[in-house]
Amino acid sequence: MSRDAAPPAPADDALAALVVERAIRDTIFRYCRGVDRMDRELVRGCYHPDARDVHGSFEGDVDAFVDWVFRVLARYDATMHFVGNLLVEPHPARPRELARAETYGIAFHRGDRGDPARNLVTGFRYLDRFECREGAWRIARRVATTEWVRVDVPEQCWPGRDGVLLGRRDRGDGVVVGIEKADARDPAV
């Protein structure tokens, strides 16, 4: 940019902030999908290679985190993460490179192996430092806080009905199968 060039207009700054927020939101959504569908590569791809995570009793690099979290997830038959409030704060001096994000969420954990403690609902927050490197916004550092935990009573849960498409934790999940079938029918996709 030359010294004579005008600074970006406020509308340009606002649009850039929306683009950053969207990229960060999508990364958080992909992370939740990856956890719930047991997709290690999807979760791993939400982090930069040198990222750090502090998550419950775990603290370490991203590869160790992915190993740890998938061992924990294997204890459950299903999980479902809902994220709600998301506050993205771009760095004041480097808004196109660095941002903080605070995400509120609720996670459901289901395990039908006889232990009621395997049926948990947790309130959590992700406190993330996001960095944009080579055009990709990914997590550089995450601190996950537990805000509260509740044990659900399995007897009060509806078991589902025959013929209902149930979510799966693999590539046979409805979202994957449905998308692949739709793509096969529509060559324009």
Side-chain angles (χ1 to χ4, degrees), residues 7-188:
D12 293 341
D13 291 342
L15 181 58
L18 286 172
V19 169
V20 167
E21 184 175 326
R22 171 71 183 260
I24 288 172
R25 184 195 71 190
D26 288 352
T27 300
I28 292 168
F29 287 171
R30 280 193 311 276
Y31 170 86
C32 291
R33 176 189 272 179
V35 166
D36 293 338
R37 302 284 63 90
M38 297 290 285
D39 187 333
R40 292 174 70 94
E41 290 76 29
L42 188 57
V43 170
R44 179 65 186 83
C46 294
Y47 291 85
H48 285 294
D50 59 346
R52 305 281 300 164
D53 198 305
V54 177
H55 215 104
S57 62
F58 173 84
E59 181 172 354
D61 67 40
V62 66
D63 292 320
F65 168 72
V66 170
D67 289 342
W68 174 82
V69 78
F70 278 86
R71 277 193 309 274
V72 171
L73 290 169
R75 299 176 188 167
Y76 300 99
D77 297 317
T79 60
M80 184 174 282
H81 288 68
F82 289 96
V83 292
N85 301 1
L86 170 61
L87 178 63
V88 175
E89 298 174 311
H91 189 282
R94 297 167 56 195
R96 294 174 192 234
E97 300 169 38
L98 301 173
R100 289 188 324 191
E102 179 181 25
T103 307
Y104 283 66
I106 297 174
F108 296 84
H109 303 77
R110 292 284 176 254
D112 295 327
R113 299 181 188 142
D115 181 0
R118 295 248 189 262
N119 291 289
L120 303 174
V121 181
T122 62
F124 65 86
R125 285 183 304 140
Y126 296 140
L127 308 169
D128 295 320
R129 173 188 167 105
F130 273 84
E131 296 181 6
C132 185
R133 300 182 196 167
E134 299 177 13
W137 283 95
R138 293 187 177 140
I139 301 164
R141 177 157 174 85
R142 168 168 280 175
V143 175
T145 68
T146 299
E147 301 297 315
W148 51 266
V149 178
R150 182 182 79 210
V151 175
D152 272 354
V153 179
E155 294 80 28
Q156 295 177 354
C157 296
W158 182 59
R161 294 175 24 200
D162 290 339
V164 173
L165 179 62
L166 297 175
R168 293 178 45 168
R169 299 174 88 193
D170 58 24
R171 302 265 322 147
D173 181 64
V175 70
V176 175
V177 171
I179 289 170
E180 289 173 354
K181 283 182 182 177
D183 288 351
R185 287 191 304 267
D186 185 359

